[in-house]
Amino acid sequence: VRVPNGSGTLDSNAATLRIVGTSVILQVPNLVFAEALSLQGSPVRFNVTATSLFSDVTYVQCSSASGDTFAIARTNVDCVATDDFGGVDRASFPVQVADTTPPTIRVPTDPTVFGSADGSVFNYNATATDVVDPDVRAVCSPASGSFFRVGTSPVTCTSSDRFQNTST
């Protein structure tokens, strides 16, 4: 250690510099959320980076890669970053894939039914589709095939998927 003073530079005894900590800093997201695209889940993209205080080169290895398909669940991704000087940093972050989109219901538009003076039986087709759940259906009240009195009658159709997303 050399210390300048007013009359010159003073030399001290030799000292050993010891760095405590790591030379690598790993940056991971706090949480990555993705909307499910199928019952298998969804491909999820994320950005993980590392910098080194001493090296221009860092290496990052994660338990899952950006773009991998993640299941409908909360999954932890574990990452390790290293540099050429033996520095290491570890971090984890959660990836949450969920189905939050309700089914889509299709109903007849402006149906007109002709029958007797009292009304008529009306058969109609209402369907439901869902991006994730292939087994959704529309449940309507009054049901198709019911007797409808003369005039305008409301029909309410509802559909729910296996993840409790509901549309009416």
Side-chain angles (χ1 to χ4, degrees), residues 104-119:
T104 300
I105 300 173
R106 287 180 179 65
V107 296
T109 56
D110 298 323
T112 302
V113 180
F114 298 98
S116 68
D118 290 339

Side-chain angles (χ1 to χ4, degrees), residues 50 94 102 141:
S141 179

Side-chain angles (χ1 to χ4, degrees), residues 20-71:
V20 177
T22 181
S23 60
V24 177
I25 301 168
L26 179 62
Q27 295 93 22
V28 299
N30 290 329
L31 167 70
V32 178
F33 178 81
E35 183 69 22
L37 299 178
S38 72
L39 283 176
Q40 287 69 42
S42 180
V44 178
R45 298 222 171 270
F46 51 82
N47 190 28
V48 175
T49 59
T51 55
S52 172
L53 301 175
F54 305 122
S55 177
D56 292 334
V57 179
T58 56
Y59 309 93
V60 177
Q61 182 67 42
C62 295
S63 57
S64 296
S66 178
D68 283 356
T69 296
F70 286 76

